[in-house]
């Protein structure tokens, strides 16, 4: 069973409206690379070089990857990776 990547509404225009993507990966970095192979337009909206853009947060099963191993965080079959855009305002 592969992992599922949950795609937020602001990025769905670049995934032909898909809310999720399912693929095989062993790290978050591999999962993001696989997502970008399926939907190349996402790469420029998610990455600055090889780093995640500052306004995006990634979670593996509700755990923020910033407090784990970042993009090298391990994932296993059945895990869910959530892309969460930062919210700001006043």
């Amino acid at each position: 069973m592969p992992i599922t990547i949950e795609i937020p509404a602001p990025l769905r225009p670049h995934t032909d409206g898909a809310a999720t993507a399912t693929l095989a990966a062993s790290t978050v970095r591999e999962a993001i690379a696989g997502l970008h192979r399926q939907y190349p337009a996402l790469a420029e909206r998610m990455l600055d070089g090889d780093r995640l853009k500052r306004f995006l947060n990634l979670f593996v099963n509700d755990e923020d990857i910033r407090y784990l191993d970042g993009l090298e965080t391990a994932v296993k079959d059945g895990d869910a990776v959530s892309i969460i855009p930062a919210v700001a305002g006043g």
Side-chain angles (χ1 to χ4, degrees):
M1 180 166 58
I3 67 162
T4 300
I5 300 178
E6 299 169 0
I7 302 162
L11 293 178
R12 291 181 195 161
H14 310 291
T15 63
D16 301 323
T20 62
T22 305
L23 49 91
S26 60
T27 66
V28 171
R29 185 180 301 281
E30 286 179 13
I32 297 302
L35 182 66
H36 293 163
R37 280 191 295 278
Q38 286 182 357
Y39 304 107
L42 281 180
E44 68 185 55
R45 285 155 183 83
M46 291 183 66
L47 298 175
D48 279 328
D50 66 341
R51 301 183 76 163
L52 197 61
K53 289 199 182 235
R54 292 174 35 153
F55 64 86
L56 288 178
N57 299 302
L58 294 182
F59 289 77
V60 174
N61 301 328
D62 300 324
E63 294 287 329
D64 190 333
I65 68 166
R66 292 177 296 176
Y67 302 107
L68 300 171
D69 292 324
L71 291 174
E72 301 312 319
T73 299
V75 293
K76 61 187 182 319
D77 288 349
D79 281 350
V81 174
S82 302
I83 303 168
I84 309 292
V87 178

